[in-house]
Amino acid sequence: MDETEAALIRRCQAGDKDAFGGIVRQYAGRATGAAYLMLGCREEALDASQEAFVRAWRHIRRFDPATHFYSWYARILRNECISRLRRRARRRTVALVGDPPSDGDGKDPALLMERTEWDRRVWRAILSLPAPQREIIVLAHFQGLSYKEMAQTIEIPIGTVMSRLHVARQALRTLLAGEE
């Protein structure tokens, strides 16, 4: 964690809501993108990431500043997304599959609309993976978490992370090869 983030965390733990706003701004795009990849629906992804930030704020005093905030937050976000998927399964609704959301870094929406057909195929393939495979792909390739961070986030051994990631990559390759 860089010094600026560490200082913001200390302020948050002292009750400074404005400092938490800085943390939210830093990770909002990344969080919404991760939630979208798990849920497949932009609006639900926004709701899930916001709810996860609310939960993170409520429990910020429990956060260990010696660890990475995003790894801690990603576990909260994951749990929120899993809860939403379970509720969705009970309601038997299906999220619409579309393009990925902007990552919040100010990219021109027109440029996002110009995605190549290959990009669209990759997104469709990722969204069609079973939830555990989709989740590990998101954590590794879109969230950039290390094996250790992934293991902590989804509470499985590192060896299982490596195995699950290998299987997910193979499944993704198979899906993409089948579309050619």
Side-chain angles (χ1 to χ4, degrees):
M1 179 182 333
D2 64 35
E3 186 57 37
T4 305
E5 184 174 295
L8 285 173
I9 294 294
R10 281 191 298 276
R11 288 176 44 206
C12 291
Q13 290 180 325
D16 184 344
K17 289 182 181 178
D18 291 334
F20 194 70
I23 297 289
V24 170
R25 282 187 295 281
Q26 182 174 349
Y27 293 116
R30 186 176 178 189
T32 302
Y36 176 79
L37 288 169
M38 289 185 70
L39 299 168
C41 174
R42 282 187 176 101
E43 292 77 20
E44 195 171 11
L46 284 167
D47 289 346
S49 63
Q50 289 173 358
E51 179 60 30
F53 278 120
V54 168
R55 289 176 191 220
W57 170 253
R58 286 183 191 144
H59 301 287
I60 194 70
R61 286 184 176 88
R62 295 182 193 167
F63 173 69
D64 177 4
T67 63
H68 293 282
F69 175 82
Y70 193 80
S71 296
W72 179 73
Y73 170 78
R75 182 178 299 152
I76 296 168
L77 179 61
R78 174 186 181 265
N79 291 338
E80 177 63 25
C81 289
I82 288 170
S83 293
R84 288 170 180 270
L85 289 169
R86 286 181 182 143
R87 284 192 300 271
R88 182 189 300 166
R90 285 193 298 267
R91 287 190 317 258
R92 294 187 179 149
T93 61
V94 178
L96 298 175
V97 175
D99 292 333
S102 166
D103 62 6
D105 66 0
K107 289 183 181 173
D108 181 358
L111 293 175
L112 292 173
M113 295 304 293
E114 295 176 8
R115 291 193 186 278
T116 65
E117 181 56 31
W118 175 252
D119 292 334
R120 293 181 197 284
R121 287 173 53 204
V122 170
W123 283 108
R124 282 192 301 266
I126 289 170
L127 290 169
S128 71
L129 290 171
Q133 291 178 1
R134 184 173 59 237
E135 177 180 44
I136 202 77
I137 290 287
V138 169
L139 293 174
H141 296 288
F142 295 92
Q143 299 300 303
L145 299 184
S146 68
Y147 288 130
K148 180 180 178 184
E149 290 170 325
M150 286 187 280
Q152 291 170 341
T153 299
I154 55 180
E155 299 172 330
I156 60 175
I158 289 178
T160 305
V161 166
M162 295 168 70
S163 173
R164 193 175 289 177
L165 185 56
H166 174 76
V167 169
R169 286 174 176 157
Q170 286 298 111
L172 193 54
R173 280 188 201 102
T174 301
L175 286 168
L176 290 171
E179 288 190 15
E180 292 186 284

